[in-house]
Amino acid sequence: MKKSNDSIYDYIIVGAGLFGAVFTQQAVKAGKKCLIIDKRRQIGGNLYTENIDSINVHKYGAHIFHTSNREIWNYINQFADFNNFINSPLANYNGKLYNLPFNMNTFYQLWGTQTPLEAKAKIAEQCKKYDYITHPANLEEHALKMCGDDIYNTFIKGYTEKQWGRRATELPSFIIKRIPLRFVYNNNYFNDTYQGIPVGGYTPIIESMIKGAEVQINTDYFENKTYFDSLAPKMIFTGRIDEFFDFKFGKLEYRSLHFEHERLEINDFQGNAVVNYNEFDVPFTRIIEHKHFEFGTQPFTIVSKEFPNEYSKDSEPYYPVNDERNHTILGKYKELAKAYGNISFGGRLAQYAYFDMDDTIEAALEVARKEFKFIK
Ligand SMILES: Cc1cc2nc3c(=O)[nH]c(=O)nc-3n(C[C@H](O)[C@H](O)[C@H](O)COP(=O)(O)OP(=O)(O)OC[C@H]3O[C@@H](n4cnc5c(N)ncnc54)[C@H](O)[C@@H]3O)c2cc1C
């Protein structure tokens, strides 16, 4: 990359998702000249929301902000007002609805149990059958041992098999580390202290974060790498790490998603923002009804069905596949990255990891803190 004394910018930021935007915000605040580019036709990465006739549609999947980190909550609240939305998804299995996460309401709907003692006894009785499994060989054995037949067959098996495109007996047990079972009547999906949806959607947050930087969308770094490298002495790279190194150790694998968005001329389709579909035979995993994120009262509604699928060059890389092959390859790319002292590899694609939004902000602030020695 170019030396600083004849560069046009101080930083080039590849990717206008949350990581790139937070870093840019800090850099501009520190008086740095920044260029932020994104290959998509819009900013925001997977947080992008499109305002369609006053409903903010989460185009890359439902995003609910939640954190227990007060510093991060204060930080994000500089850029938007958050409402008091609480994520309380439902599960539809064979046409019957259940509350999530697994709690006393779910157990009542499954078995009619009314007290924590009754529910615990029911689960213990179902798990007993699987006491013989001492070292679960796969996800199915692991889950049956932890929660028994009913919870596994109703909520976990079909959903997980759709999500990963493989039978539960072929999936490693570590995908599900623990199964959170709550013995209180509480449908709040997250345990975090702070939660909400930004009023007006996420795109305005990203817009305010990158104010003061030059922005180029529809611009793929790899199509003009040498040129972009010549513009600044330092880079924040939030694209795919394997692509950065020209896939020399192989491609990192992903699971993908596609969304079918539909406008319906009724004021309410499902009465809730998120309804999961847990049967294997239903091809989508959930239906999102976007107006409920912001308590909308429009006479129409917009819903999105979320279909998991194999990643291909024409789809978006969503979920990293955490297995040994991919970890080995990732390790090799990370080793190479160490030689690039002027490039910070950050965000979900460059780190090949799933990060919630609060973790992404924290990581980007950390990079900025090292560069500029302040945080605001
Ligand atoms: C379906 C789904 C639901 C989620 N829901 C939640 C939730 O409810 N709550 C929560 O806290 N988190 C949620 N997350 C996580 C959240 O999306 C991430 O924390 C966040 O998007 C990470 O931001 P990022 O900048 O690392 O990545 P991204 O948002 O992916 O941004 C990276 C950007 O880099 C661009 N880019 C890549 N390569 C290039 C290139 N060669 N040239 C130019 N630009 C490039 C991409 O186009 C993209 O815009 C969810 C994730 C998914 C997949």
Tab-separated table of all heavy atoms in Angstrom, residues 14-20 37-40 44-47 60-64 66 219-222 238-240 243 257 286 306 318-319 347-349 354-358 360, ligand 1:
chain	number	residue	atom	x	y	z
A	14	VAL	N	-12.886	-1.379	3.555
A	14	VAL	CA	-13.564	-2.263	2.601
A	14	VAL	C	-14.746	-2.906	3.313
A	14	VAL	O	-14.571	-3.733	4.209
A	14	VAL	CB	-12.589	-3.330	2.056
A	14	VAL	CG1	-13.326	-4.280	1.100
A	14	VAL	CG2	-11.412	-2.676	1.366
A	15	GLY	N	-15.948	-2.503	2.942
A	15	GLY	CA	-17.170	-3.050	3.539
A	15	GLY	C	-17.864	-2.007	4.387
A	15	GLY	O	-17.324	-1.534	5.396
A	16	ALA	N	-19.085	-1.620	3.950
A	16	ALA	CA	-19.861	-0.617	4.706
A	16	ALA	C	-20.921	-1.302	5.569
A	16	ALA	O	-22.048	-0.842	5.685
A	16	ALA	CB	-20.493	0.390	3.755
A	17	GLY	N	-20.555	-2.436	6.154
A	17	GLY	CA	-21.402	-3.083	7.154
A	17	GLY	C	-21.146	-2.440	8.507
A	17	GLY	O	-20.512	-1.375	8.605
A	18	LEU	N	-21.610	-3.075	9.562
A	18	LEU	CA	-21.509	-2.473	10.894
A	18	LEU	C	-20.051	-2.271	11.319
A	18	LEU	O	-19.690	-1.221	11.851
A	18	LEU	CB	-22.249	-3.364	11.912
A	18	LEU	CG	-22.343	-2.820	13.321
A	18	LEU	CD1	-23.074	-1.491	13.369
A	18	LEU	CD2	-23.060	-3.842	14.232
A	19	PHE	N	-19.205	-3.263	11.085
A	19	PHE	CA	-17.812	-3.145	11.518
A	19	PHE	C	-17.138	-1.956	10.814
A	19	PHE	O	-16.546	-1.086	11.460
A	19	PHE	CB	-17.034	-4.438	11.231
A	19	PHE	CG	-15.696	-4.477	11.890
A	19	PHE	CD1	-15.513	-5.189	13.059
A	19	PHE	CD2	-14.603	-3.773	11.367
A	19	PHE	CE1	-14.268	-5.218	13.692
A	19	PHE	CE2	-13.366	-3.790	11.999
A	19	PHE	CZ	-13.206	-4.517	13.158
A	20	GLY	N	-17.267	-1.920	9.492
A	20	GLY	CA	-16.638	-0.843	8.724
A	20	GLY	C	-17.190	0.517	9.118
A	20	GLY	O	-16.447	1.495	9.222
A	37	ILE	N	-15.845	1.643	0.967
A	37	ILE	CA	-16.439	1.090	-0.265
A	37	ILE	C	-17.235	-0.165	0.063
A	37	ILE	O	-16.952	-0.854	1.048
A	37	ILE	CB	-15.361	0.757	-1.334
A	37	ILE	CG1	-14.407	-0.343	-0.854
A	37	ILE	CG2	-14.592	2.004	-1.738
A	37	ILE	CD1	-13.500	-0.895	-1.948
A	38	ASP	N	-18.234	-0.446	-0.759
A	38	ASP	CA	-18.981	-1.693	-0.587
A	38	ASP	C	-19.420	-2.207	-1.947
A	38	ASP	O	-19.810	-1.442	-2.811
A	38	ASP	CB	-20.213	-1.499	0.311
A	38	ASP	CG	-20.636	-2.821	0.941
A	38	ASP	OD1	-21.050	-3.753	0.190
A	38	ASP	OD2	-20.520	-2.949	2.174
A	39	LYS	N	-19.348	-3.520	-2.096
A	39	LYS	CA	-19.712	-4.079	-3.405
A	39	LYS	C	-21.222	-4.155	-3.600
A	39	LYS	O	-21.687	-4.292	-4.724
A	39	LYS	CB	-19.064	-5.442	-3.604
A	39	LYS	CG	-19.524	-6.520	-2.664
A	39	LYS	CD	-18.776	-7.801	-3.016
A	39	LYS	CE	-19.201	-8.952	-2.139
A	39	LYS	NZ	-18.429	-10.157	-2.419
A	40	ARG	N	-21.978	-4.049	-2.508
A	40	ARG	CA	-23.432	-4.064	-2.664
A	40	ARG	C	-23.934	-2.709	-3.153
A	40	ARG	O	-23.199	-1.731	-3.131
A	40	ARG	CB	-24.103	-4.394	-1.326
A	40	ARG	CG	-23.839	-5.815	-0.880
A	40	ARG	CD	-24.647	-6.134	0.359
A	40	ARG	NE	-24.288	-7.441	0.890
A	40	ARG	CZ	-24.685	-7.897	2.081
A	40	ARG	NH1	-25.440	-7.147	2.857
A	40	ARG	NH2	-24.336	-9.101	2.495
A	44	GLY	N	-24.647	-0.704	4.857
A	44	GLY	CA	-25.306	-1.356	5.999
A	44	GLY	C	-25.005	-2.836	6.139
A	44	GLY	O	-25.303	-3.422	7.176
A	45	GLY	N	-24.425	-3.446	5.089
A	45	GLY	CA	-24.161	-4.884	5.182
A	45	GLY	C	-25.448	-5.628	5.499
A	45	GLY	O	-26.523	-5.277	5.003
A	46	ASN	N	-25.375	-6.600	6.381
A	46	ASN	CA	-26.563	-7.414	6.687
A	46	ASN	C	-27.572	-6.707	7.583
A	46	ASN	O	-28.663	-7.220	7.815
A	46	ASN	CB	-26.138	-8.742	7.325
A	46	ASN	CG	-25.573	-9.688	6.279
A	46	ASN	OD1	-25.656	-9.402	5.085
A	46	ASN	ND2	-25.006	-10.795	6.720
A	47	LEU	N	-27.200	-5.520	8.074
A	47	LEU	CA	-28.169	-4.763	8.885
A	47	LEU	C	-29.123	-3.951	8.018
A	47	LEU	O	-30.085	-3.372	8.538
A	47	LEU	CB	-27.428	-3.751	9.775
A	47	LEU	CG	-27.000	-4.192	11.157
A	47	LEU	CD1	-26.036	-5.356	11.090
A	47	LEU	CD2	-26.339	-3.025	11.873
A	60	TYR	N	-31.853	-8.544	5.002
A	60	TYR	CA	-30.930	-9.676	5.144
A	60	TYR	C	-31.204	-10.447	6.429
A	60	TYR	O	-30.292	-10.980	7.051
A	60	TYR	CB	-29.479	-9.193	5.101
A	60	TYR	CG	-29.083	-8.600	3.767
A	60	TYR	CD1	-29.238	-7.246	3.518
A	60	TYR	CD2	-28.574	-9.402	2.749
A	60	TYR	CE1	-28.884	-6.694	2.296
A	60	TYR	CE2	-28.211	-8.865	1.522
A	60	TYR	CZ	-28.368	-7.505	1.299
A	60	TYR	OH	-28.014	-6.964	0.079
A	61	GLY	N	-32.453	-10.472	6.839
A	61	GLY	CA	-32.798	-11.243	8.036
A	61	GLY	C	-33.093	-10.344	9.223
A	61	GLY	O	-32.568	-9.230	9.328
A	62	ALA	N	-33.945	-10.852	10.118
A	62	ALA	CA	-34.391	-10.078	11.284
A	62	ALA	C	-33.209	-9.715	12.176
A	62	ALA	O	-32.420	-10.583	12.548
A	62	ALA	CB	-35.365	-10.931	12.089
A	63	HIS	N	-33.104	-8.447	12.527
A	63	HIS	CA	-32.036	-7.998	13.417
A	63	HIS	C	-32.612	-7.318	14.656
A	63	HIS	O	-33.240	-6.259	14.546
A	63	HIS	CB	-31.087	-7.041	12.684
A	63	HIS	CG	-30.061	-7.776	11.874
A	63	HIS	ND1	-30.365	-8.412	10.702
A	63	HIS	CD2	-28.740	-8.004	12.107
A	63	HIS	CE1	-29.263	-8.993	10.231
A	63	HIS	NE2	-28.266	-8.760	11.062
A	64	ILE	N	-32.375	-7.920	15.784
A	64	ILE	CA	-32.831	-7.355	17.060
A	64	ILE	C	-31.585	-6.994	17.853
A	64	ILE	O	-30.716	-7.857	18.088
A	64	ILE	CB	-33.689	-8.375	17.849
A	64	ILE	CG1	-34.941	-8.726	17.035
A	64	ILE	CG2	-34.089	-7.829	19.218
A	64	ILE	CD1	-35.001	-10.111	16.551
A	66	HIS	N	-29.435	-6.416	20.985
A	66	HIS	CA	-29.482	-6.794	22.399
A	66	HIS	C	-28.055	-6.863	22.936
A	66	HIS	O	-27.138	-7.292	22.234
A	66	HIS	CB	-30.198	-8.144	22.593
A	66	HIS	CG	-29.554	-9.273	21.841
A	66	HIS	ND1	-28.682	-10.154	22.410
A	66	HIS	CD2	-29.656	-9.636	20.532
A	66	HIS	CE1	-28.274	-11.026	21.504
A	66	HIS	NE2	-28.841	-10.737	20.355
A	219	THR	N	-19.043	-1.210	-5.542
A	219	THR	CA	-17.602	-1.156	-5.798
A	219	THR	C	-16.914	-2.333	-5.106
A	219	THR	O	-16.834	-2.373	-3.880
A	219	THR	CB	-17.023	0.169	-5.233
A	219	THR	OG1	-17.753	1.248	-5.816
A	219	THR	CG2	-15.559	0.328	-5.518
A	220	ASP	N	-16.459	-3.272	-5.921
A	220	ASP	CA	-15.799	-4.455	-5.359
A	220	ASP	C	-14.293	-4.204	-5.276
A	220	ASP	O	-13.643	-3.946	-6.298
A	220	ASP	CB	-16.097	-5.682	-6.242
A	220	ASP	CG	-15.638	-6.975	-5.598
A	220	ASP	OD1	-14.662	-6.950	-4.804
A	220	ASP	OD2	-16.259	-8.016	-5.867
A	221	TYR	N	-13.775	-4.297	-4.081
A	221	TYR	CA	-12.343	-4.073	-3.855
A	221	TYR	C	-11.483	-4.928	-4.792
A	221	TYR	O	-10.494	-4.462	-5.353
A	221	TYR	CB	-12.031	-4.382	-2.380
A	221	TYR	CG	-10.577	-4.511	-2.040
A	221	TYR	CD1	-9.748	-3.404	-2.007
A	221	TYR	CD2	-10.033	-5.766	-1.734
A	221	TYR	CE1	-8.409	-3.526	-1.687
A	221	TYR	CE2	-8.696	-5.900	-1.407
A	221	TYR	CZ	-7.876	-4.782	-1.386
A	221	TYR	OH	-6.560	-4.906	-1.067
A	222	PHE	N	-11.898	-6.184	-4.972
A	222	PHE	CA	-11.037	-7.099	-5.737
A	222	PHE	C	-11.016	-6.782	-7.234
A	222	PHE	O	-10.141	-7.239	-7.942
A	222	PHE	CB	-11.459	-8.558	-5.506
A	222	PHE	CG	-11.223	-8.968	-4.093
A	222	PHE	CD1	-12.289	-9.214	-3.244
A	222	PHE	CD2	-9.936	-9.072	-3.594
A	222	PHE	CE1	-12.074	-9.573	-1.920
A	222	PHE	CE2	-9.703	-9.415	-2.275
A	222	PHE	CZ	-10.771	-9.665	-1.443
A	238	THR	N	-13.114	-5.814	5.716
A	238	THR	CA	-14.186	-6.603	6.349
A	238	THR	C	-14.842	-7.581	5.358
A	238	THR	O	-15.930	-8.077	5.598
A	238	THR	CB	-15.283	-5.696	6.973
A	238	THR	OG1	-16.090	-5.128	5.927
A	238	THR	CG2	-14.706	-4.574	7.808
A	239	GLY	N	-14.149	-7.830	4.239
A	239	GLY	CA	-14.636	-8.848	3.295
A	239	GLY	C	-14.150	-10.229	3.708
A	239	GLY	O	-13.678	-10.432	4.835
A	240	ARG	N	-14.250	-11.179	2.800
A	240	ARG	CA	-13.861	-12.565	3.116
A	240	ARG	C	-12.347	-12.710	3.176
A	240	ARG	O	-11.643	-12.341	2.241
A	240	ARG	CB	-14.395	-13.511	2.038
A	240	ARG	CG	-15.888	-13.621	2.025
A	240	ARG	CD	-16.334	-14.563	0.935
A	240	ARG	NE	-15.764	-15.895	1.114
A	240	ARG	CZ	-16.259	-16.990	0.546
A	240	ARG	NH1	-17.335	-16.913	-0.213
A	240	ARG	NH2	-15.697	-18.171	0.738
A	243	GLU	N	-10.908	-14.890	0.314
A	243	GLU	CA	-10.859	-14.191	-0.969
A	243	GLU	C	-9.676	-13.226	-1.000
A	243	GLU	O	-9.012	-13.061	-2.024
A	243	GLU	CB	-12.177	-13.428	-1.181
A	243	GLU	CG	-12.354	-12.937	-2.596
A	243	GLU	CD	-13.731	-12.306	-2.842
A	243	GLU	OE1	-14.493	-12.108	-1.873
A	243	GLU	OE2	-14.020	-12.020	-4.015
A	257	LEU	N	-28.653	-18.228	2.939
A	257	LEU	CA	-30.087	-18.030	3.146
A	257	LEU	C	-30.617	-17.318	1.926
A	257	LEU	O	-29.886	-16.564	1.287
A	257	LEU	CB	-30.339	-17.102	4.340
A	257	LEU	CG	-29.903	-17.508	5.733
A	257	LEU	CD1	-30.095	-16.326	6.696
A	257	LEU	CD2	-30.719	-18.702	6.217
A	286	ARG	N	-38.331	-19.584	9.003
A	286	ARG	CA	-39.164	-18.641	9.742
A	286	ARG	C	-39.862	-17.647	8.826
A	286	ARG	O	-39.451	-17.469	7.680
A	286	ARG	CB	-38.398	-17.918	10.843
A	286	ARG	CG	-36.997	-17.499	10.504
A	286	ARG	CD	-36.311	-16.931	11.743
A	286	ARG	NE	-35.074	-16.289	11.383
A	286	ARG	CZ	-34.397	-15.475	12.167
A	286	ARG	NH1	-34.831	-15.203	13.375
A	286	ARG	NH2	-33.275	-14.931	11.768
A	306	GLU	N	-37.793	-17.088	5.267
A	306	GLU	CA	-36.330	-17.294	5.282
A	306	GLU	C	-36.035	-18.757	4.952
A	306	GLU	O	-36.452	-19.648	5.693
A	306	GLU	CB	-35.825	-16.932	6.678
A	306	GLU	CG	-34.335	-16.989	6.847
A	306	GLU	CD	-33.909	-16.443	8.226
A	306	GLU	OE1	-34.393	-15.376	8.646
A	306	GLU	OE2	-33.101	-17.128	8.872
A	318	TYR	N	-23.519	-16.541	4.666
A	318	TYR	CA	-24.131	-16.118	5.926
A	318	TYR	C	-23.470	-16.750	7.159
A	318	TYR	O	-22.922	-16.049	7.989
A	318	TYR	CB	-25.631	-16.455	5.945
A	318	TYR	CG	-26.471	-15.399	5.310
A	318	TYR	CD1	-26.927	-15.548	4.014
A	318	TYR	CD2	-26.791	-14.233	5.990
A	318	TYR	CE1	-27.706	-14.564	3.416
A	318	TYR	CE2	-27.563	-13.240	5.401
A	318	TYR	CZ	-28.017	-13.419	4.114
A	318	TYR	OH	-28.773	-12.448	3.531
A	319	TYR	N	-23.570	-18.079	7.242
A	319	TYR	CA	-23.099	-18.721	8.476
A	319	TYR	C	-21.833	-19.530	8.202
A	319	TYR	O	-21.839	-20.413	7.337
A	319	TYR	CB	-24.180	-19.651	9.044
A	319	TYR	CG	-25.422	-18.918	9.470
A	319	TYR	CD1	-26.616	-19.050	8.767
A	319	TYR	CD2	-25.403	-18.076	10.579
A	319	TYR	CE1	-27.758	-18.365	9.156
A	319	TYR	CE2	-26.541	-17.389	10.972
A	319	TYR	CZ	-27.712	-17.535	10.265
A	319	TYR	OH	-28.839	-16.857	10.648
A	347	GLY	N	-14.606	-8.014	11.497
A	347	GLY	CA	-15.984	-8.322	11.112
A	347	GLY	C	-16.163	-9.795	10.825
A	347	GLY	O	-15.215	-10.583	10.854
A	348	ARG	N	-17.407	-10.159	10.524
A	348	ARG	CA	-17.770	-11.574	10.461
A	348	ARG	C	-17.115	-12.325	9.309
A	348	ARG	O	-16.809	-13.511	9.425
A	348	ARG	CB	-19.290	-11.702	10.379
A	348	ARG	CG	-19.835	-11.157	9.100
A	348	ARG	CD	-21.317	-11.258	8.943
A	348	ARG	NE	-21.628	-11.012	7.544
A	348	ARG	CZ	-21.871	-11.951	6.647
A	348	ARG	NH1	-21.870	-13.208	7.007
A	348	ARG	NH2	-22.132	-11.641	5.403
A	349	LEU	N	-16.861	-11.642	8.163
A	349	LEU	CA	-16.303	-12.347	7.003
A	349	LEU	C	-14.784	-12.469	7.103
A	349	LEU	O	-14.210	-13.486	6.737
A	349	LEU	CB	-16.669	-11.607	5.710
A	349	LEU	CG	-18.156	-11.566	5.364
A	349	LEU	CD1	-18.424	-10.575	4.234
A	349	LEU	CD2	-18.660	-12.955	4.975
A	354	TYR	N	-19.428	-16.036	13.538
A	354	TYR	CA	-20.708	-15.367	13.746
A	354	TYR	C	-20.543	-14.395	14.909
A	354	TYR	O	-20.110	-14.792	15.992
A	354	TYR	CB	-21.823	-16.381	14.075
A	354	TYR	CG	-23.119	-15.645	14.342
A	354	TYR	CD1	-23.984	-15.332	13.306
A	354	TYR	CD2	-23.434	-15.190	15.625
A	354	TYR	CE1	-25.133	-14.603	13.534
A	354	TYR	CE2	-24.589	-14.453	15.862
A	354	TYR	CZ	-25.428	-14.163	14.809
A	354	TYR	OH	-26.560	-13.427	15.035
A	355	PHE	N	-20.854	-13.131	14.684
A	355	PHE	CA	-20.827	-12.143	15.770
A	355	PHE	C	-22.172	-11.452	15.831
A	355	PHE	O	-22.683	-11.018	14.790
A	355	PHE	CB	-19.791	-11.042	15.498
A	355	PHE	CG	-18.373	-11.504	15.476
A	355	PHE	CD1	-17.581	-11.301	14.351
A	355	PHE	CD2	-17.809	-12.117	16.576
A	355	PHE	CE1	-16.256	-11.714	14.322
A	355	PHE	CE2	-16.480	-12.526	16.555
A	355	PHE	CZ	-15.711	-12.336	15.430
A	356	ASP	N	-22.720	-11.300	17.024
A	356	ASP	CA	-23.888	-10.441	17.167
A	356	ASP	C	-23.442	-8.995	16.950
A	356	ASP	O	-22.245	-8.685	16.977
A	356	ASP	CB	-24.494	-10.610	18.576
A	356	ASP	CG	-25.481	-11.771	18.616
A	356	ASP	OD1	-26.106	-12.061	17.574
A	356	ASP	OD2	-25.640	-12.380	19.693
A	357	MET	N	-24.439	-8.115	16.832
A	357	MET	CA	-24.093	-6.717	16.536
A	357	MET	C	-23.274	-6.068	17.651
A	357	MET	O	-22.357	-5.288	17.386
A	357	MET	CB	-25.372	-5.914	16.296
A	357	MET	CG	-26.063	-6.282	15.001
A	357	MET	SD	-27.529	-5.284	14.707
A	357	MET	CE	-28.762	-6.174	15.629
A	358	ASP	N	-23.606	-6.392	18.908
A	358	ASP	CA	-22.849	-5.753	19.996
A	358	ASP	C	-21.385	-6.194	19.994
A	358	ASP	O	-20.481	-5.386	20.213
A	358	ASP	CB	-23.517	-5.993	21.366
A	358	ASP	CG	-23.672	-7.454	21.723
A	358	ASP	OD1	-23.655	-8.317	20.818
A	358	ASP	OD2	-23.794	-7.755	22.927
A	360	THR	N	-19.754	-7.076	17.334
A	360	THR	CA	-19.139	-6.440	16.159
A	360	THR	C	-18.718	-5.009	16.504
A	360	THR	O	-17.608	-4.579	16.176
A	360	THR	CB	-20.153	-6.427	14.980
A	360	THR	OG1	-20.563	-7.769	14.725
A	360	THR	CG2	-19.548	-5.826	13.730
B	1	LIG	C1	-29.784	-13.861	9.361
B	1	LIG	C2	-29.007	-13.100	10.408
B	1	LIG	C3	-29.677	-12.536	11.481
B	1	LIG	C4	-28.971	-11.839	12.446
B	1	LIG	N1	-29.653	-11.320	13.502
B	1	LIG	C5	-28.992	-10.669	14.463
B	1	LIG	C6	-29.703	-10.164	15.606
B	1	LIG	O1	-30.924	-10.317	15.723
B	1	LIG	N2	-28.984	-9.509	16.556
B	1	LIG	C7	-27.620	-9.334	16.457
B	1	LIG	O2	-27.025	-8.726	17.359
B	1	LIG	N3	-26.933	-9.794	15.385
B	1	LIG	C8	-27.582	-10.454	14.388
B	1	LIG	N4	-26.886	-10.915	13.286
B	1	LIG	C9	-25.436	-10.623	13.180
B	1	LIG	C10	-25.156	-9.290	12.415
B	1	LIG	O3	-25.687	-9.392	11.114
B	1	LIG	C11	-23.642	-9.037	12.395
B	1	LIG	O4	-23.191	-8.747	13.687
B	1	LIG	C12	-23.195	-7.873	11.467
B	1	LIG	O5	-23.825	-7.879	10.232
B	1	LIG	C13	-21.698	-7.939	11.257
B	1	LIG	O6	-21.279	-6.803	10.523
B	1	LIG	P1	-20.007	-6.894	9.550
B	1	LIG	O7	-19.683	-5.508	9.160
B	1	LIG	O8	-18.971	-7.751	10.169
B	1	LIG	O9	-20.518	-7.772	8.294
B	1	LIG	P2	-21.486	-7.423	7.101
B	1	LIG	O10	-22.746	-6.831	7.606
B	1	LIG	O11	-21.613	-8.655	6.288
B	1	LIG	O12	-20.712	-6.313	6.256
B	1	LIG	C14	-19.610	-6.629	5.422
B	1	LIG	C15	-19.744	-5.788	4.166
B	1	LIG	O13	-18.564	-5.972	3.377
B	1	LIG	C16	-18.949	-5.931	2.023
B	1	LIG	N5	-17.916	-6.581	1.216
B	1	LIG	C17	-17.517	-7.867	1.271
B	1	LIG	N6	-16.569	-8.090	0.367
B	1	LIG	C18	-16.353	-6.917	-0.281
B	1	LIG	C19	-15.492	-6.533	-1.346
B	1	LIG	N7	-14.683	-7.406	-1.948
B	1	LIG	N8	-15.531	-5.248	-1.759
B	1	LIG	C20	-16.371	-4.355	-1.196
B	1	LIG	N9	-17.220	-4.671	-0.192
B	1	LIG	C21	-17.201	-5.947	0.263
B	1	LIG	C22	-20.266	-6.679	2.011
B	1	LIG	O14	-21.024	-6.371	0.853
B	1	LIG	C23	-20.928	-6.205	3.299
B	1	LIG	O15	-21.764	-5.091	3.065
B	1	LIG	C24	-27.563	-11.679	12.325
B	1	LIG	C25	-26.883	-12.258	11.256
B	1	LIG	C26	-27.597	-12.969	10.308
B	1	LIG	C27	-26.844	-13.626	9.193
